[in-house]
């Protein structure tokens, strides 16, 4: 199983980034997927999830600014992040959660390498 997140970087407040998560070794079409983030000194939390039917859910400050999507032909998960602010600074990961409606669900797979997003104010 591989969950390889990429697309992070340094961006100014108000800017945008698009994250990608290339997956392999999982039944991508059959699993809900989500983006998580872990800020310095904080627990990892779910910010956006998408189920197998394409229904999406956003938690906390992600609402209205982030958009999660999936390409089941390529087994890739995306996260479009707009209007970024300093509070979005974190390492972002993807995984398959057992629920996309809570902030700390259990996940099906071991964590892969995340991608660091740094927002300068």
């Amino acid at each position: 199983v591989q969950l390889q997140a990429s697309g992070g970087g340094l961006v100014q407040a108000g800017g945008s980034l698009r994250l990608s998560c290339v997956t392999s070794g999982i039944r991508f079409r059959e699993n809900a997927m989500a983006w998580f983030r872990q800020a310095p000194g904080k627990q990892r939390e779910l910010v956006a999830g998408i189920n197998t039917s394409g229904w999406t859910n956003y938690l906390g400050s992600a609402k209205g600014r982030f958009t999660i999507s999936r390409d089941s032909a390529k087994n890739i998960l995306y996260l479009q992040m707009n209007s970024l602010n300093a509070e979005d600074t974190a390492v972002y990961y993807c995984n398959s959660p057992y629920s996309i409606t809570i902030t700390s669900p259990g996940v099906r797979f071991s964590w892969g390498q995340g991608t660091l997003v740094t927002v300068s104010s």
Side-chain angles (χ1 to χ4, degrees):
V1 173
Q2 286 195 331
L3 305 171
Q4 184 63 52
S6 63
L10 176 62
V11 62
Q12 289 188 333
S16 299
L17 281 175
R18 188 192 194 204
L19 307 184
S20 299
C21 177
V22 176
T23 73
S24 62
I26 70 172
R27 296 181 177 180
F28 186 81
R29 294 173 184 265
E30 299 177 13
N31 288 297
M33 297 296 297
W35 284 97
F36 297 76
R37 70 184 180 189
Q38 186 167 20
K42 295 187 177 181
Q43 289 189 337
R44 186 153 35 200
E45 62 179 5
L46 186 151
V47 294
I50 183 168
N51 69 8
T52 56
S53 299
W55 182 76
T56 58
N57 192 47
Y58 302 90
L59 299 181
S61 63
K63 294 178 182 178
R65 299 188 300 125
F66 293 3
T67 302
I68 187 171
S69 61
R70 62 193 298 164
D71 185 334
S72 292
K74 297 180 180 179
N75 295 343
I76 300 177
L77 184 71
Y78 300 102
L79 186 68
Q80 177 68 42
M81 304 188 295
N82 299 327
S83 302
L84 288 164
N85 57 59
E87 287 67 40
D88 296 316
T89 294
V91 179
Y92 286 72
Y93 304 84
C94 68
N95 210 314
S96 177
Y98 290 104
S99 171
I100 63 170
T101 60
I102 58 176
T103 57
S104 299
V107 295
R108 290 182 172 85
F109 309 114
S110 299
W111 295 100
Q113 283 192 335
T115 187
L116 176 62
V117 172
T118 304
V119 184
S120 62
S121 56

